[in-house]
Amino acid sequence: MTVVTATAPGKVILFGEHAVVYGQPALAVPVNQVQALATVTPGQGDFWIEARDLGRRYRLGDAPAGDPLAKAADLVRERAGLDRLPDAVLAVSATIPIASGLGSGAAVVTAAVRALAQSIGLILAPAEVSALVFETEKLLHGTPSGIDNTVVAFEQPVYFVKGQPPEPFRVASPFHLLIADTGRPSPTKLAVGDVRAAHEREPDRYGQLFDAMGAIAREARRLIESGQPEALGPLMGRNHALLQTIGVSSAELDRLVGAACQAGALGAKLSGGGRGGNMLALVTPQAAATVRQALVGEGAVRVIHTVVGQARC
Ligand code: PMV
């Protein structure tokens, strides 16, 4: 066995976060500017897991209960029909900020599953990788919709409805996004739990809000597939307002959204679980530098410029 490495990208949700947990469609795209990396190195007298960014190293057998990487290793082992994994170190690291809506958990586990599978000669299709990672997402998020593992494992823009096969969609005309980090980590599980409690208290009202978000996601897909991405701006504003109404925005997110729009973005919204984490601004290439400056001026700790639909070589 030689050293094996694998990577996985981050992701952003363009439209439909939270509503997707209740059966509405959502759109998400991979973000290749941030990546998770996993390495499997043979030897070392047992199977070890090393989470480098967290400064943790432990034997698979000593993993804390509910550890996503240990779960992933066990699932790969079972899928390969092995009683035990060969002695090795599975090391993971990422440039994706944790708990910020960029899919760090799904990406780290996806890279780990890919590296581990490859190290034992197991070939897994993207749908299988996604299904394995989904099992570990449940440990992190409680009741995940499955959108993070899907977009990260397929590495394509996807139109996602919970429980249905993902539909990769075509980006007819590339568009530019700035992804700005509030610098405030926010565990998705908490926001999802609060929304669930509110939905249980007011099912009709929340049902209508989720329906409205679903309609926006469907319309956004149509615009992206028909080459009219600049028309997404107003939809982003409407989706952000709905996310504010369900209580998952924050003062920082609202300030960044406002700053982006004032500086010439075509639209802006929070992305992912909310309460902190990242927001998105749709920009023309000409306005990108000005909007980036405005976001940094308003406190963004990092701004990623990504082009959705750009061919990768
Ligand atoms: O992992 P995040 O923060 O991008 O959020 C996931 C999106 C939610 O819709 C809030 C939850 C889910 O499981 O779909």
Side-chain angles (χ1 to χ4, degrees), residues 11 13 17-18 20-21 101 141 143-148 188 192 272-273:
K11 69 99 210 351
I13 296 179
E17 52 274 273
H18 286 288
V20 69
V21 175
H141 290 231
T143 54
S145 63
I147 190 166
D148 282 17
T188 302
V192 169

Side-chain angles (χ1 to χ4, degrees), residues 3 10 22 34 53 56 110 139 180 185 199 241 247 260 262 282 291 299 304 308:
V3 176
Y22 300 87
V34 284
D53 301 330
R56 286 197 207 134
T110 298
L139 301 171
H199 177 250
Q262 270 203 336
L282 176 70
V291 176
I304 297 168
V308 179

Side-chain angles (χ1 to χ4, degrees), residues 111-178:
V113 165
R114 285 176 173 162
L116 200 48
Q118 205 186 321
S119 74
I120 55 174
L122 176 68
I123 294 170
L124 294 174
E128 291 178 288
V129 173
S130 176
L132 291 187
V133 178
F134 182 58
E135 293 307 311
T136 70
E137 286 279 287
K138 290 181 194 166
L139 301 171
L140 293 170
H141 290 231
T143 54
S145 63
I147 190 166
D148 282 17
N149 49 283
T150 301
V151 66
V152 169
F154 281 82
E155 297 196 40
Q156 289 180 59
V158 291
Y159 175 88
F160 179 85
V161 179
K162 189 174 163 179
Q164 294 183 15
E167 296 177 40
F169 65 90
R170 198 175 74 88
V171 178
S173 175
F175 55 96
H176 292 245
L177 290 177
L178 296 179

Side-chain angles (χ1 to χ4, degrees), residues 13-307:
I13 296 179
L14 301 181
F15 293 97
E17 52 274 273
H18 286 288
V20 69
V21 175
Y22 300 87
Q24 295 295 334
L27 304 183
V29 296
V31 177
N32 294 305
Q33 285 84 351
V34 284
Q35 294 273 329
L37 173 73
T39 308
V40 177
T41 308
Q44 314 267 333
D46 202 338
F47 189 90
W48 292 82
I49 294 173
E50 196 175 298
R52 290 195 171 144
D53 301 330
L54 305 177
R56 286 197 207 134
R57 184 182 156 104
Y58 44 92
R59 283 190 164 85
L60 177 58
D62 299 334
D67 181 73
L69 288 167
K71 173 93 179 169
D74 276 336
L75 289 170
V76 172
R77 178 188 55 72
E78 271 172 32
R79 173 69 179 70
L82 297 175
D83 289 335
R84 64 185 297 277
L85 288 166
D87 292 352
V89 180
L90 166 65
V92 295
S93 60
T95 57
I96 310 170
I98 294 171
S100 66
L102 295 186
S104 65
V108 165
V109 180
T110 298
V113 165
R114 285 176 173 162
L116 200 48
Q118 205 186 321
S119 74
I120 55 174
L122 176 68
I123 294 170
L124 294 174
E128 291 178 288
V129 173
S130 176
L132 291 187
V133 178
F134 182 58
E135 293 307 311
T136 70
E137 286 279 287
K138 290 181 194 166
L139 301 171
L140 293 170
H141 290 231
T143 54
S145 63
I147 190 166
D148 282 17
N149 49 283
T150 301
V151 66
V152 169
F154 281 82
E155 297 196 40
Q156 289 180 59
V158 291
Y159 175 88
F160 179 85
V161 179
K162 189 174 163 179
Q164 294 183 15
E167 296 177 40
F169 65 90
R170 198 175 74 88
V171 178
S173 175
F175 55 96
H176 292 245
L177 290 177
L178 296 179
I179 304 168
D181 194 339
T182 59
R184 179 188 285 261
S186 171
T188 302
K189 198 172 180 171
L190 296 183
V192 169
D194 288 350
V195 172
R196 180 171 303 283
H199 177 250
E200 278 165 14
R201 277 194 307 272
E202 294 182 87
D204 292 346
R205 177 160 168 262
Y206 272 71
Q208 281 166 15
L209 293 165
F210 296 144
D211 285 350
M213 295 186 207
I216 289 173
R218 278 186 283 271
E219 173 65 359
R221 178 185 179 171
R222 192 187 67 74
L223 291 170
I224 294 171
E225 287 186 325
S226 62
Q228 306 172 69
E230 63 292 337
L232 295 173
L235 294 184
M236 293 172 86
R238 272 165 42 205
N239 200 161
H240 185 71
L242 289 162
L243 290 162
Q244 284 175 318
T245 306
I246 67 165
V248 296
S249 193
S250 68
E252 292 97 331
L253 284 165
D254 290 346
R255 272 204 299 275
L256 292 182
V257 166
C261 292
Q262 270 203 336
L266 300 169
K269 66 180 277 292
L270 72 84
S271 177
R275 299 266 169 84
N278 279 271
M279 55 75 71
L280 305 175
L282 176 70
V283 291
T284 60
Q286 298 74 23
T290 313
V291 176
R292 174 195 283 269
Q293 218 170 18
L295 288 166
V296 171
E298 204 55 61
V301 297
R302 153 146 95 164
V303 181
I304 297 168
H305 185 167
T306 191
V307 185

